[in-house]
Amino acid sequence: MGGGDDLFARPTAAIRLTDRQRLDWLRLSRSDNVGPRTFRELLNLYGSAAAALEALPELAQRGGSRSIRIATLAEAEREMERARAFGVSFVALGERDYPERLRRTASAPPLVALRGDLGCLQRPMVAIVGSRNASIAGIKMAAILARGLGEAGMTVVSGLARGIDAAAHEASAATGTVAVLAGGHDQIYPPENEPLLDRLLPAGAAISEMPMGHEPRARDFPRRNRIIAGLSLGVVVVEAAEKSGSLITARMALEENREVFAVPGSPLDPRAGGTNRLLKQGATLVSEVDDIIAVIQPILSRPPPEDSLEEEEEAMDGADPGEDGRSRILSLLGPVPVTLDDIVRASGLPVAAVRVALLELDLAGRLHRDPAGRISLR
């Protein structure tokens, strides 16, 4: 990237952003229509967050938007100041404290806000999730599994929700547990679990990608769930109804090639409907903690998968689709999601040119990307 913000640096040669670069990253990530994938492509194209910020208005205009809200320096400085008051630090993708397995996911947050004992983020992590309206047996099982994983040297990850999440955090608070927040660090949900969060922070950590002051909404919980899955070697579902959010976490884990485990339950209990279905679909059955450890330990001895991020960097290397190319790509898109490869083949344009045109449409708020990365027009 020629001296810019090296998003793709490996942990063996981890970057460290300057204070000004960190503010630029925060501004870019808080600007309209800049999600994790868009952030990555902007840095690929421009080499630094500062250069990308300058280019945003023109890019959005090319995509068909008259204006785009860009987070100001003053806004970023205020958020940084509030974060410091809560003991929160912002860690960038590629910095040493950024969780390694999360870094390798397709939608890794550019910046994560962390507090607590960050050492627990460097140990092997396993998520335990499940029903908010948990049974006594489910809560007991979550605690048994969490305690056993902690004693085996693993960090337990969950979402600080009522029920199974809270039981898993409580049981592993002494050995290390990570709470993934759906809102900002100063907007804990549910509020009654704030004392639990305080108890887990001495040996554990809390992580969020959301702004300080952000109160979680329904759509923020699936975003949180992808981080739970991304941090972890595997996801254990203890109790989950057929339409539970825990099943979203399990699906996201599968999309990132993580292990999925499920605790069986009575067919007469609706809270077991989702877990029993996961077992039918091939999830590993869990009746004791050793069932999890037996699957996780061999993974720890394997080398991590190779990154594909460097290939993405090259693919964005300075291509202008031109007005004809932009029109052609726009005419090919519609409400039905399609892949990048579909668009490249149908348009006959180079991959880099297609990616730039899609970036412009994205910044204009005209694209929708589904969890699999497929693209459609809004």
Side-chain angles (χ1 to χ4, degrees), residues 3 17 23 26 31 41 55-56 85-86 103 108 134 139 149 172 190 217 231 273 299 312 314 337 339:
L17 298 186
L23 284 167
L26 186 59
S31 296
E41 294 194 343
L56 282 184
F86 272 77
R103 184 183 79 86
I139 289 172
L149 288 169
S172 56
R217 304 154 296 181
L231 287 168
I299 298 173
E312 291 189 13
E314 293 174 4
T339 67

Side-chain angles (χ1 to χ4, degrees), residues 138-158:
I139 289 172
K140 184 176 180 180
M141 188 63 178
I144 290 170
L145 296 176
R147 194 172 297 113
L149 288 169
E151 290 170 353
M154 299 184 193
T155 297
V156 173
V157 180
S158 201

